[in-house]
Amino acid sequence: MNQQKRKAIFARLQAANPTPTTELEYDTHFQLLIAVILSAQATDKSVNLATARFFPEFGTPEGILSLGLKGLTEKIKSIGLYRTKAENVIKTCRILLEQHKGQVPEDRAALEALPGVGRKTANVVLNTAFGHPTIAVDTHIFRVANRTRLAQGKTVLDVERKLEKIVPQEYKLDAHHWLILHGRYVCLARKPKCRQCGINDLCEYKEKSGIVPL
């Protein structure tokens, strides 16, 4: 795919959704961090349902620690891998209080040092909380980038590095939000909705319907 076509894709995604953001619900940088940790291998909807049970009253590092491991586990047991996630969140709260004065650090290395935080989670927090033009590649972005031939790669890191190179600077801040939403609602894993796709004619997916957007 040439760069002119790539730029046209992001221009259309921007026109359709000028101010994209995460679908996770939160009020503070800390709550965003916790929500993203909980979202691994879980839907944003399931995470929002769970965090609504404790964010209003216990949505701070001190608040979650007051719940304790047992209390937090009970609150998030509807989410996959909830036991491991509860342990990671408790440990993360302690580290934030002991090493960062209860604040979420605006630093990749410090973020990735937190239990339950990997490169993708750090990218989401840096982008959404602090406005860094990072690109967090999840399964949706990995699929869309490869299927459309926007940025092909064999691994998540390959795709992230390719997107970092090819996404025009003016679109980089919002790029991963557009691609996630496109993968979540249009370019579905089993049966992409090519008829409803606003970039159908720019996409290079060999098996697409070939029907231009309605």
Side-chain angles (χ1 to χ4, degrees):
M1 180 176 288
N2 62 49
Q3 195 62 7
Q4 183 178 3
K5 189 179 287 187
R6 288 171 174 143
K7 188 170 184 177
I9 285 174
F10 285 107
R12 288 192 193 175
L13 293 174
Q14 182 186 59
N17 186 2
T19 55
T21 189
T22 178
E23 293 186 316
L24 292 170
E25 296 172 358
Y26 66 96
D27 290 324
T28 66
H29 292 172
F30 170 74
Q31 291 181 7
L32 172 66
L33 171 64
I34 300 307
V36 179
I37 291 174
L38 296 178
S39 72
Q41 298 183 47
T43 65
D44 287 359
K45 183 178 180 180
S46 69
V47 172
N48 290 338
L49 289 171
T51 56
R53 300 185 191 115
F54 66 95
F55 272 0
E57 187 176 357
F58 303 99
T60 63
E62 298 90 344
I64 288 179
L65 287 178
S66 74
L67 276 174
L69 180 59
K70 185 177 180 180
L72 179 61
T73 301
E74 182 67 23
K75 299 286 188 184
I76 67 169
K77 65 181 181 180
S78 58
I79 302 175
L81 306 175
Y82 66 94
R83 289 190 178 88
T84 298
K85 290 175 181 179
E87 291 177 359
N88 286 335
V89 167
I90 292 292
K91 291 175 183 176
T92 286
C93 288
R94 291 198 183 107
I95 292 172
L96 290 178
L97 289 170
E98 293 170 1
Q99 300 180 20
H100 303 287
K101 299 180 180 180
Q103 301 299 309
V104 176
E106 189 178 350
D107 176 80
R108 177 183 296 282
L111 284 168
E112 291 189 21
L114 298 171
V117 177
R119 184 177 181 86
K120 185 187 78 172
T121 296
N123 277 341
V124 172
V125 173
L126 288 171
N127 178 280
T128 305
F130 300 110
H132 291 214
T134 54
I135 298 177
V137 178
D138 69 349
T139 55
H140 294 301
I141 292 183
F142 185 78
R143 178 178 68 256
V144 170
N146 275 288
R147 179 183 277 167
T148 62
R149 300 178 69 89
L150 176 69
Q152 293 178 290
K154 294 183 178 180
T155 68
V156 166
L157 187 57
D158 286 342
V159 171
E160 180 187 332
R161 287 173 173 166
K162 187 70 176 290
L163 287 169
E164 288 283 356
K165 290 180 180 179
I166 63 91
V167 176
Q169 191 62 37
E170 64 265 36
Y171 301 120
K172 197 165 283 185
L173 180 63
D174 294 323
H176 88 268
H177 291 301
W178 286 319
L179 294 175
I180 286 173
L181 293 171
H182 192 68
R184 186 173 290 166
Y185 297 111
V186 182
C187 198
L188 307 182
R190 293 186 179 180
K191 191 175 181 181
K193 298 179 180 179
C194 296
R195 285 178 176 270
Q196 301 173 28
C197 179
I199 60 169
N200 182 292
D201 58 315
L202 299 170
C203 170
E204 296 183 0
Y205 179 44
K206 292 181 180 179
E207 297 178 31
K208 68 179 177 178
S209 67
I211 302 170
V212 295
L214 297 177

